[in-house]
Amino acid sequence: AARPLRTITAAAARAKPGDAIAVAAGTYTEAVELAAGVTLIGVATDAVVVESVTFGIHVSGTLPTTVAQLTVSGGAGSGIVVDQAPVALRRVRVVGVQKKDKVGGAGVQVMQSPAVLLEDCLLEKNAGVGVVIYDSGPARIANSVQLASPRQTTGEDGAIDATFVPNSRMSGNFGGGIAVVRSRARSGGGAEFDLTLVATDVRANGSAAVASFGADIKIVRSALRETFEQNTGSAADGLQVSVGVEGYE
């Protein structure tokens, strides 16, 4: 058998479209440039951690790409950045990304991708928005297992039934849970939504749980709750909708 490489970067440099990189348990201190068309899969989400002082994983190109079963921790700017590639993120956790030069800080940022899937992903405690989807889609953020709609318990607090605990969660992101931006018509048109959000808990994020800037969004069996003010007197909304990109930073 071939000798395992010591870094994900070394494996990514050798990989060609259609190849799969299997990542063993461990903490990898590096920023990974991943060519589109390559599959990157860790042994388990909590067992594989990519730490970086810049971005965690950057995917560029136009071929379908999958990243699965790993954690991106820390870094600045964005945890996972996708440029143009159709992308599927499965059982991925992104936590603790900080802003760079006072901007960014998103857990996941996807730009000009024709197809986006986040399945059973956890985006938490990032300085910016948990997920930013820019001129991309159709996109789908979902739990892999179908869940019943979250039920509101009785009482004035309006709490959600404690049995609603999906694996798809956006929580504690200071800049907001999910932002979807549509500044131009989607290539190819079509009647699909820019984002379909299914069985996801968007909880305790700043400003807005979900924000749409000129985008069409469908929300199914999900909870948007406990949004907090970024600053005293600022917005704290479950859903924010703008007909254009004005207000998006």
Side-chain angles (χ1 to χ4, degrees):
R3 178 179 298 177
L5 299 170
R6 291 184 176 274
T7 67
I8 302 172
T9 297
R14 300 186 184 190
K16 298 179 176 61
D19 288 347
I21 300 171
V23 186
T27 298
Y28 298 83
T29 305
E30 53 186 307
V32 178
E33 289 281 1
L34 188 67
V38 175
T39 294
L40 180 65
I41 182 167
V43 66
T45 304
D46 293 337
V48 176
V49 180
V50 177
E51 290 186 343
S52 176
V53 296
T54 56
F55 61 87
I57 300 171
H58 179 217
V59 179
S60 59
T62 58
L63 295 176
T65 305
T66 297
V67 177
Q69 296 181 186
L70 54 77
T71 293
V72 174
S73 178
S78 295
I80 297 177
V81 182
V82 179
D83 289 324
Q84 298 185 314
V87 66
L89 305 181
R90 291 186 168 93
R91 297 177 297 282
V92 168
R93 178 175 180 249
V94 184
V95 57
V97 177
Q98 300 302 308
K99 291 187 176 184
K100 182 178 181 181
D101 299 325
K102 298 182 180 181
V103 297
V108 173
Q109 180 171 312
V110 183
M111 298 170 289
Q112 299 180 16
S113 167
V116 182
L117 171 66
L118 276 73
E119 186 177 77
D120 292 347
C121 291
L122 173 59
L123 291 301
E124 63 177 352
K125 299 178 182 178
N126 298 294
V129 182
V131 182
V132 177
I133 300 171
Y134 194 96
D135 281 344
S136 298
R140 181 179 176 89
I141 299 175
N143 203 67
S144 61
V145 178
Q146 183 172 335
L147 300 176
S149 297
R151 295 175 297 162
Q152 182 172 312
T153 58
T154 58
E156 296 182 357
D157 60 356
I160 297 296
D161 188 344
T163 61
F164 183 72
V165 187
N167 294 320
S168 179
R169 304 194 304 275
M170 321 288 151
S171 64
N173 301 291
F174 188 78
I178 301 168
V180 187
V181 184
R182 173 61 62 188
S183 70
R184 60 186 183 182
R186 191 189 317 142
S187 177
E192 295 177 276
F193 291 92
D194 294 299
L195 170 67
T196 300
L197 181 68
V198 182
T200 297
D201 195 359
V202 190
R203 181 176 189 175
N205 299 284
S207 182
V210 177
S212 166
F213 299 89
D216 296 325
I217 295 177
K218 180 179 181 180
I219 300 174
V220 182
R221 300 190 307 276
S222 296
L224 315 181
R225 51 173 165 163
E226 300 175 23
T227 305
F228 61 83
E229 297 177 352
Q230 292 177 326
N231 301 292
T232 302
S234 64
D237 300 323
L239 178 64
Q240 289 181 359
V241 178
S242 173
V243 295
V245 299
E246 293 80 6
Y248 175 73
E249 297 180 358

